[in-house]
Amino acid sequence: MDKTELGRTFDADYVLFVTVERFTTVEPGSTNLHRGRLSGVAAVYQTSLPEREACVWSGDDFEVVYPKDIAEVRVGFDDRGIQQETMRIFAAQLVRRFYDHEEDRIQ
């Protein structure tokens, strides 16, 4: 199903389409160092137009990293907390592309 047809199915005027390019919670080359990395790109489609003409906004690729400064050393743990915080930060940064805001000093 194309993006505009999907939006019309839900009676939406626009569809925000997010492509996740990479999502990991383990540092490259390690099994015990945990850091969330999520990168992707987003586009907005107007559902009243054919899909090939419907892209009304597209953003640049972007990536979030959590924790930002240093990976956490953990052995045999559930990484849901890192997954959730990485996705929360990604979503917050994506949403900020649609309104004026002041930049956070600390993430």
Side-chain angles (χ1 to χ4, degrees):
M1 180 179 291
D2 73 29
K3 296 160 196 74
T4 57
E5 185 178 339
L6 176 64
R8 287 190 300 271
T9 299
F10 291 100
D11 200 27
D13 296 324
Y14 296 91
V15 170
L16 173 61
F17 188 78
V18 179
T19 302
V20 173
E21 296 171 336
R22 179 176 132 178
F23 186 27
T24 182
T25 59
V26 179
E27 281 288 275
S30 175
T31 57
N32 296 325
L33 292 176
H34 295 272
R35 178 181 288 161
R37 293 183 187 276
L38 177 53
S39 62
V41 64
V44 174
Y45 293 83
Q46 186 173 343
T47 60
S48 63
L49 301 171
E51 184 177 24
R52 68 184 176 283
E53 301 168 10
C55 186
V56 295
W57 177 87
S58 62
D60 297 329
D61 292 6
F62 71 103
E63 179 181 60
V64 299
V65 177
Y66 173 80
K68 192 170 191 161
D69 296 327
I70 189 166
E72 296 181 13
V73 178
R74 296 188 183 177
V75 178
F77 88 110
D78 182 352
D79 65 355
R80 280 184 282 185
I82 288 179
Q83 289 175 359
Q84 290 173 347
E85 188 63 12
T86 303
M87 288 187 291
R88 186 197 66 75
I89 293 168
F90 184 87
Q93 287 190 12
L94 176 60
V95 168
R96 286 177 169 212
R97 293 169 174 242
F98 297 97
Y99 65 90
D100 293 330
H101 62 279
E102 292 185 27
E103 291 295 320
D104 290 340
R105 292 180 188 209
I106 299 174
Q107 182 173 323

